[in-house]
Amino acid sequence: MKSPPSWIILRVIARCQTALSRIFVPFLLALLLLITSALVFEGPLRRQFPHRAARMSWEIDGMSIEIFRSRESRYFPEMRYSPMHITVPFSQTPRGCEFVYGAVVYRYHQQSDRLIEQPRYLTKFRYNLERGRCESKDLFIIDGETPFDMDVQLVDVELSGEEIIEMPRPEGLRIIALSPEEVRVAKQVIPAQEPFRRPQFTKRISKFSANLDAGEAEMLVAPYDQVKPLILSEIRALIERCKSSGQSNAQCSSAPGSSIRGAIAEILDPDISDAMEDARAAGIDVDVLTNYRAQAETSQLVTLDHGKLRGVTARFDGPSPWMWLRLNPHSLVLKLPMHTKFIIIGDSFVLSTNANFNFMFTESSREVTMVYRSPTVVQMFDDLLAQIRTSVYRPLDVDLRDNFLLLFNADRPRGYSVTDQKSYVPINTNEGVRSSAYGILLELLARSTGEVVLAMSPISDACDTYRRRHCLFDILSRRAGIGMFRLFMNGYFYFSEEVGGLDEWRYAARRYQEEFQNRFRAVRKIFSETSEDGLSIFMQKGNSYSLHHERLGLVGDDWVLAGSANLGQKGTLNVMELLRSPVLMEKVKSEVATFDEPYFVSHAHEWTPEEKEYRNCEFTFERELLHWREYKLKRFQRSEVISELKRKYGVEAPGTLFLVSPAFDPRPDDGVRYFKDVGEKVVELEEVFTSLSSYLCIQDSAGQSYVVNVQASAGD
């Protein structure tokens, strides 16, 4: 065999050299670039790329920051954001990733349209077993809204025999954004003071139930009992006590009982935010956790149907409340991780409600609020707040013989525990059973002998175990089968169309039967296939939203159910409050008795539409979608109206009084949408009088009007 000519061999060698140069030269250049970029930073700062998707990454003393490539928001397609991760090695979290959380303070340049100059976020850590690190979730930088710097602080959590201890680490990281593409990271000392986390020592409570005395628990039924003025009054009283004590701001901040704290799913009311800012300025410690990012911190206005504008978000000139992150950071209303709504003011006042703290939107909504003036209950809520803030849960105890039970439901999302399971808060009872918040509630529902009544939207099925396994809808279905269950729901959560006259209502009812959403189909199966007796779904005429926003129940003849829970949503942090109280039981029954009335009267406010308003009264026409019941006139006593005017408004000897009501024929098919459609009927109030509504618009001889709620006479 002849050897190939030398020119062929030379050509092959040349081509190989060309190919090798195409592979190795770019590789060598890239390697040189990486080495050079790492040398640009001084001290311990090191540039690395642990993830291919990471756009920028740094590590200092084991703690790393990773900023990823921009992506489109799932919930707001017009918005893009870059996720950011904080990671620390397992060796720096000896108790586990559950026992450390991140506190991150963003700072923006002052802008006229920015609602929060210093948004603050709490982020939890999950186990990344592949990398051997604790990894945060849900931090982000919105495209076009890069903060000029961010401070990252880590807080270690420890459970001692008597306390929940939160201890910030003295050193953290500062992220300085010179531009969206030029970012530096440096280690720095972070002072344990505002706006950062400070050492926190929360007393551990051994039992989350108690026997409350009369006056320690009060129920407010809004909008008749107004919640916002009470909150503002308590905050202002705390400020006044601080100022009148003659203490400096620092002394006032550290004084026992001089703080405001809470876990509130939504804080958008500007008056509430202003009051918190005033308290902080007076030296009062304000430590509030919230769930919503105030509309991406951008000022927005909403145009209402009647042409008025209102601002939808509060403004925080100083640091914002701590925002509890989980799931997508831009989710304002979907998959809420935290649905608790309680605020603690001082050491003997706590208010827990189902109402969102956006009172300028909900001044007419029907809500239920519990007010506790009890140091024991305050300590329970303080303990729960520490558990929510840290996600360090432990078994709790309740005694079912007590007249107040505080049931805390918490599920940690998968990936946040080393076992990759959804952990929950176990609750031990005096009966020797370890269960959970839902396990106990379902057991009490199964035991109850009287009628079960729920005003609840939305509602989902949930199963749990006490001594045996119970499912919510199975229990309710059995009660409905013997005519001992009533469910009142807000149609807004199941039906989005506006309805007006009778034909539209019949069409809407058919749509319910034909095109249920999955949630409503499941609820419908609680009741008989041929009857919907016991099920009521409310909507306003001309508006798909009902005023019914209560989370309220009667568990037989024994318990009143209150709190913030959307019943059955076990994956959401919330509290359920059970009270054994004849006084509260009667108040709930009295309120439920008003649900069959064709209109509702509440206090008119700044945003009341003109078509609903008569002087100080706002009239709302509600309809129950599934039934066509005749409305009944109810009988009332003038003496009770006078007593209520004195109790609620301080009106003495009112003289001649008049009842103002809509001038319409009370039929289900009346077609009335607004008060202005029919006008008013004004009649002098007699000793015994009748009305279609237990909420009355009462006018005196001077033309001043009042909203009064009184019970109908027995037998009506």
Side-chain angles (χ1 to χ4, degrees):
M1 183 176 178
K2 292 183 179 180
S3 299
S6 59
W7 64 270
I8 294 178
I9 296 173
L10 292 173
R11 178 170 292 181
V12 171
I13 292 172
R15 289 183 175 178
C16 288
Q17 288 176 333
T18 302
L20 289 171
S21 65
R22 288 176 179 173
I23 296 172
F24 285 103
V25 169
F27 173 79
L28 291 172
L29 288 174
L31 181 61
L32 180 62
L33 180 61
L34 284 174
I35 295 171
T36 302
S37 62
L39 293 175
V40 169
F41 297 94
E42 298 177 357
L45 185 59
R46 181 163 60 87
R47 194 76 171 265
Q48 61 171 11
F49 292 91
H51 282 313
R52 293 180 187 176
R55 179 163 59 93
M56 290 181 279
S57 175
W58 304 263
E59 182 179 315
I60 299 178
D61 294 347
M63 184 176 174
S64 74
I65 303 291
E66 300 161 356
I67 300 176
F68 293 80
R69 293 187 177 92
S70 175
R71 64 185 63 175
E72 185 178 277
S73 168
R74 176 181 176 184
Y75 300 104
F76 298 92
E78 71 280 2
M79 183 185 294
R80 296 186 65 85
Y81 68 98
S82 297
M84 184 172 71
H85 284 177
I86 305 167
T87 72
V88 290
F90 291 163
S91 60
Q92 294 187 9
T93 56
R95 295 188 186 90
C97 298
E98 298 99 330
F99 288 84
V100 64
Y101 66 87
V104 185
V105 179
Y106 288 37
R107 291 184 186 83
Y108 292 90
H109 293 290
Q110 291 185 353
Q111 300 175 24
S112 59
D113 63 345
R114 175 159 293 286
L115 292 167
I116 302 178
E117 301 294 345
Q118 292 186 49
R120 302 189 295 179
Y121 299 99
L122 295 185
T123 183
K124 308 303 169 70
F125 289 84
R126 65 180 180 181
Y127 287 85
N128 188 321
L129 299 178
E130 182 180 349
R131 300 175 64 196
R133 302 179 75 87
C134 300
E135 180 180 84
S136 73
K137 288 188 64 178
D138 307 316
L139 290 169
F140 57 94
I141 299 174
I142 298 176
D143 286 12
E145 295 187 21
T146 303
F148 68 81
D149 71 23
M150 293 173 279
D151 287 314
V152 179
Q153 179 187 42
L154 295 184
V155 181
D156 292 305
V157 182
E158 179 183 355
L159 291 181
S160 72
E162 297 182 351
E163 292 179 314
I164 303 169
I165 302 170
E166 300 167 62
M167 190 60 63
R169 297 185 183 182
E171 290 187 331
L173 298 182
R174 168 160 287 189
I175 305 169
I176 304 171
L178 303 177
S179 72
E181 300 300 326
E182 188 177 0
V183 179
R184 292 183 180 178
V185 176
K187 183 168 68 173
Q188 74 162 17
V189 174
I190 296 183
Q193 61 187 37
E194 284 277 359
F196 309 107
R197 296 303 303 168
R198 288 156 292 175
Q200 195 98 9
F201 303 89
T202 304
K203 181 180 178 181
R204 287 178 56 171
I205 302 303
S206 59
K207 194 174 71 162
F208 283 77
S209 63
N211 279 313
L212 301 184
D213 296 331
E216 288 189 307
E218 177 188 5
M219 176 179 285
L220 305 181
V221 178
Y224 187 65
D225 300 320
Q226 295 186 305
V227 176
K228 176 177 170 179
L230 176 61
I231 297 172
L232 295 177
S233 173
E234 290 292 329
I235 293 176
R236 288 167 184 153
L238 184 61
I239 294 173
E240 188 57 34
R241 288 198 299 271
C242 182
K243 290 181 177 179
S244 62
S245 68
Q247 296 176 316
S248 66
N249 281 8
Q251 290 172 324
C252 193
S253 178
S254 60
S258 293
S259 67
I260 299 169
R261 58 262 186 224
I264 305 166
E266 177 180 297
I267 308 174
L268 298 180
D269 191 285
D271 295 327
I272 298 295
S273 66
D274 287 348
M276 289 182 180
E277 291 296 295
D278 292 343
R280 181 180 280 115
I284 293 170
D285 184 19
V286 179
D287 192 10
V288 175
L289 187 62
T290 189
N291 192 84
Y292 284 78
R293 295 180 55 248
Q295 297 284 351
E297 297 106 41
T298 301
S299 178
Q300 296 184 9
L301 294 174
V302 172
T303 304
L304 305 182
D305 292 339
H306 51 286
K308 294 182 180 180
L309 294 174
R310 75 171 89 175
V312 298
T313 50
R315 184 180 185 94
F316 293 94
D317 296 324
S320 75
W322 289 100
M323 300 185 202
W324 199 101
L325 293 176
R326 196 180 106 185
L327 303 172
N328 189 290
H330 303 176
S331 173
L332 298 181
V333 294
L334 302 176
K335 297 182 179 179
L336 300 181
M338 185 188 78
H339 203 247
T340 56
K341 301 170 186 179
F342 65 84
I343 185 169
I344 309 164
I345 303 173
D347 55 8
S348 60
F349 177 92
V350 59
L351 180 147
S352 178
T353 180
N354 70 261
N356 294 313
F357 281 44
N358 56 350
F359 297 106
M360 71 286 192
F361 273 159
T362 60
E363 286 182 280
S364 301
S365 290
R366 303 179 79 158
E367 319 271 2
V368 173
T369 297
M370 291 304 305
V371 175
Y372 303 99
R373 299 182 185 274
S374 162
T376 300
V377 177
V378 166
Q379 290 177 356
M380 293 181 194
F381 276 94
D382 271 327
D383 190 322
L384 293 189
L385 176 59
Q387 293 188 60
I388 295 170
R389 190 169 51 236
T390 64
S391 289
V392 175
Y393 306 133
R394 68 182 196 278
L396 311 178
D397 296 330
V398 299
D399 188 331
L400 302 185
R401 296 167 297 186
D402 290 337
N403 64 17
F404 170 70
L405 310 179
L406 183 59
L407 303 181
F408 178 45
N409 175 76
D411 272 341
R412 187 184 293 116
R414 297 185 189 278
Y416 280 73
S417 62
V418 70
T419 59
D420 200 36
Q421 299 296 313
K422 281 191 173 182
S423 59
Y424 69 100
V425 174
I427 302 178
N428 302 315
T429 73
N430 60 296
E431 298 176 345
V433 177
R434 171 169 284 194
S435 185
S436 67
Y438 274 97
I440 293 171
L441 175 64
L442 295 177
E443 176 69 14
L444 295 177
L445 280 166
R447 292 182 187 181
S448 63
T449 56
E451 183 185 30
V452 173
V453 179
L454 294 176
M456 189 75 59
S457 290
I459 185 172
S460 309
D461 198 9
C463 299
D464 219 317
T465 301
Y466 194 75
R467 287 193 177 96
R468 59 192 178 93
R469 184 172 174 81
H470 297 293
C471 291
L472 176 61
F473 282 10
D474 288 345
I475 295 172
L476 300 182
S477 182
R478 290 194 294 269
R479 303 310 294 268
I482 59 174
M484 295 293 283
F485 175 54
R486 285 185 288 162
L487 175 61
F488 300 93
M489 307 182 73
N490 188 327
Y492 171 80
F493 295 97
Y494 300 94
F495 196 72
S496 60
E497 296 190 20
E498 295 183 2
V499 292
L502 179 63
D503 290 339
E504 294 175 68
W505 282 89
R506 287 175 173 165
Y507 164 74
R510 287 197 302 271
R511 284 285 306 279
Y512 270 108
Q513 304 297 331
E514 297 168 1
E515 301 179 23
F516 306 101
Q517 295 184 27
N518 288 333
R519 288 184 300 173
F520 184 77
R521 186 183 297 114
V523 171
R524 177 62 185 81
K525 289 182 179 179
I526 295 174
F527 299 87
S528 164
E529 293 182 2
T530 59
S531 172
E532 290 163 337
D533 289 345
L535 174 61
S536 299
I537 301 175
F538 293 98
M539 299 169 70
Q540 291 184 53
K541 283 201 167 183
N543 189 335
S544 63
Y545 189 79
S546 166
L547 295 183
H548 287 279
H549 190 248
E550 308 96 338
R551 307 295 190 273
L552 178 65
L554 293 176
V555 182
D557 298 324
D558 298 319
W559 297 96
V560 170
L561 172 65
S564 60
N566 291 329
L567 210 58
Q569 294 185 1
K570 295 176 64 178
T572 304
L573 287 168
N574 54 50
V575 293
M576 294 179 284
E577 297 147 58
L578 286 160
L579 300 105
R580 189 187 285 115
S581 165
V583 173
L584 296 181
M585 184 78 67
E586 287 305 312
K587 182 159 188 173
V588 173
K589 288 180 179 179
S590 176
E591 177 65 8
V592 170
T594 71
F595 289 178
D596 64 351
E597 298 170 352
Y599 65 88
F600 176 71
V601 187
S602 58
H603 305 275
H605 49 87
E606 182 181 1
W607 305 109
T608 295
E610 293 179 1
E611 56 266 30
K612 287 186 169 188
E613 185 176 359
Y614 178 85
R615 301 191 179 179
N616 292 335
C617 301
E618 176 181 318
F619 290 83
T620 301
F621 292 88
E622 293 257 15
R623 290 295 183 271
E624 201 281 301
L625 182 64
L626 301 180
H627 305 93
W628 307 103
R629 302 185 180 98
E630 291 295 328
Y631 302 123
K632 297 180 180 179
L633 285 166
K634 299 179 180 180
R635 185 175 289 108
F636 301 90
Q637 303 288 329
R638 184 178 186 274
S639 59
E640 292 193 7
V641 172
I642 293 175
S643 296
E644 184 64 3
L645 283 171
K646 181 178 180 180
R647 183 196 71 83
K648 189 169 182 65
Y649 302 103
V651 175
E652 299 275 2
T656 304
L657 296 174
F658 301 89
L659 173 67
V660 180
S661 58
F664 80 121
D665 184 13
R667 294 179 293 107
D669 58 344
D670 55 71
V672 176
R673 292 193 182 203
Y674 301 115
F675 183 78
K676 73 170 186 179
D677 294 338
V678 294
E680 70 274 11
K681 178 174 66 175
V682 182
V683 297
E684 186 174 342
L685 207 62
E686 299 178 351
E687 289 301 322
V688 178
F689 64 95
T690 59
S691 171
L692 289 169
S693 174
S694 303
Y695 286 90
L696 310 171
C697 182
I698 301 296
Q699 182 175 298
D700 62 18
S701 56
Q704 177 69 33
S705 58
Y706 307 89
V707 177
V708 174
N709 173 229
V710 293
Q711 283 188 293
S713 300
D716 291 317

